[in-house]
Amino acid sequence: MLQGFSKTTLNVIVLGCLALIAWINLAHQNPEDTPLDALNQAPLSERPWHAWQSLEGTWLYWQNIRSENVVVKVRMEGESFSAPVDIDSELPLDQWAQLLIEQLKDAPTNRAGILFIQGPLDERSLQTAAAYAIRTLALRPLTQHQPNACLELYPAGARWFSAAQQQSWTFASAATNALPDRSQWQAFRIQQSSELRDLWFSDAGQVDIQADLAYHSLPNNFFSLLYRDLGESQKTAASDYQDCMAKIVTPESL
């Protein structure tokens, strides 16, 4: 039937048919299924932490920054793994060691935990202070827990549930929260990307981030992975995490 047409005409007809098919498909496509564009996220600059292990086997994590204060955090296991006990101190640089000694006198002792120090200190001073704190608190090495595999596979989806339950970004249960639609997910990932970026560039936020990573045995780059995953993810991230949690049971999902 098309034998009377030239090759050019046939090409035009074929292209027109393809365009018509594409138009029909687009006309019947559900807007909810339209993929979201990746967010234009500003990068997270590197803010390294260092680690030192005491003779007792307990870990100190420290970060050297310019500051007039020294921040000390001790994170210890509480009644349950998901409810740790924190000791937080922000002490003036000129007398931080003496004040730390006073604060530790009334602190709980003989628990498993980890220590974090942030400030303009040399490594030897940090280790000396850490050794004293570990002995005073009788701080035992923290028990290593198996990380939540679904959290590492679907960090952005996990964050949907942990935010709804007002939990840390390192912990998300399998509760049946309502799943997001396309517009809700877009607003959520924009908001969370902004909040995580602010947390990253806060000195206090750095201490909390490192404490969460170390306590939950998560990779050092997990926070950056979560930030990037939010920028690239689709609304299905939440259901992917929910489905994953329905298939496995981990210590952190109990």
Side-chain angles (χ1 to χ4, degrees):
M1 183 176 63
L2 299 176
Q3 291 179 352
F5 293 101
S6 67
K7 185 176 181 179
T8 301
T9 303
L10 289 174
N11 288 338
V12 171
I13 293 173
V14 171
L15 291 175
C17 291
L18 292 175
L20 179 61
I21 292 171
W23 179 83
I24 292 173
N25 288 334
L26 287 173
H28 289 84
Q29 186 177 30
N30 188 338
E32 279 291 308
D33 297 330
T34 304
L36 293 166
D37 293 331
L39 298 180
N40 184 21
Q41 294 172 303
L44 300 178
S45 60
E46 187 174 358
R47 301 195 65 180
W49 281 78
H50 309 279
W52 173 78
Q53 191 174 31
S54 72
L55 294 175
E56 295 84 358
T58 302
W59 284 97
L60 160 71
Y61 294 89
W62 57 276
Q63 185 180 56
N64 195 296
I65 65 168
R66 292 183 179 181
S67 175
E68 297 180 355
N69 299 312
V70 175
V71 173
V72 180
K73 176 189 281 286
V74 184
R75 173 159 292 185
M76 300 177 289
E77 291 184 348
E79 295 182 0
S80 67
F81 181 72
S82 60
V85 175
D86 284 351
I87 301 174
D88 293 297
S89 301
E90 185 171 356
L91 310 168
L93 179 60
D94 58 350
Q95 51 182 330
W96 77 276
Q98 298 93 320
L99 292 174
L100 179 62
I101 291 173
E102 292 297 320
Q103 291 195 5
L104 293 181
K105 288 181 179 179
D106 299 323
T109 60
N110 196 28
R111 300 192 183 198
I114 40 182
L115 181 65
F116 306 87
I117 301 179
Q118 180 193 66
L121 304 171
D122 61 83
E123 186 172 356
R124 183 62 180 270
S125 298
L126 287 161
Q127 292 176 0
T128 301
Y132 174 81
I134 290 168
R135 288 195 301 269
T136 300
L137 297 174
L139 202 62
R140 305 192 309 272
L142 186 68
T143 304
Q144 292 295 307
H145 293 266
Q146 182 66 33
N148 179 343
C150 297
L151 182 69
E152 296 190 58
L153 287 171
Y154 307 105
R159 183 58 191 145
W160 171 263
F161 293 97
S162 62
Q165 298 155 21
Q166 297 183 336
Q167 295 174 331
S168 164
W169 49 270
T170 55
F171 182 86
S173 73
T176 55
N177 293 78
L179 295 175
D181 60 25
R182 186 177 184 275
S183 62
Q184 288 173 327
W185 184 256
Q186 174 71 341
F188 172 78
R189 65 181 191 152
I190 291 173
Q191 174 202 25
Q192 288 296 313
S193 293
S194 176
E195 289 184 4
L196 292 181
R197 180 174 169 78
D198 289 344
L199 185 65
W200 179 262
F201 285 105
S202 161
D203 290 338
Q206 275 288 306
V207 178
D208 291 337
I209 290 170
Q210 187 59 43
D212 286 336
L213 291 174
Y215 185 78
H216 291 280
S217 303
L218 289 167
N220 289 334
N221 66 340
F222 178 78
F223 188 89
S224 298
L225 292 176
L226 168 60
Y227 178 75
R228 185 167 66 247
D229 193 38
L230 280 166
E232 299 174 350
S233 61
Q234 303 294 322
K235 69 171 186 177
T236 53
S239 59
D240 289 340
Y241 177 78
Q242 190 178 59
D243 292 343
C244 179
M245 288 293 287
K247 295 176 183 176
I248 69 170
V249 177
T250 70
E252 292 197 17
S253 66
L254 298 177

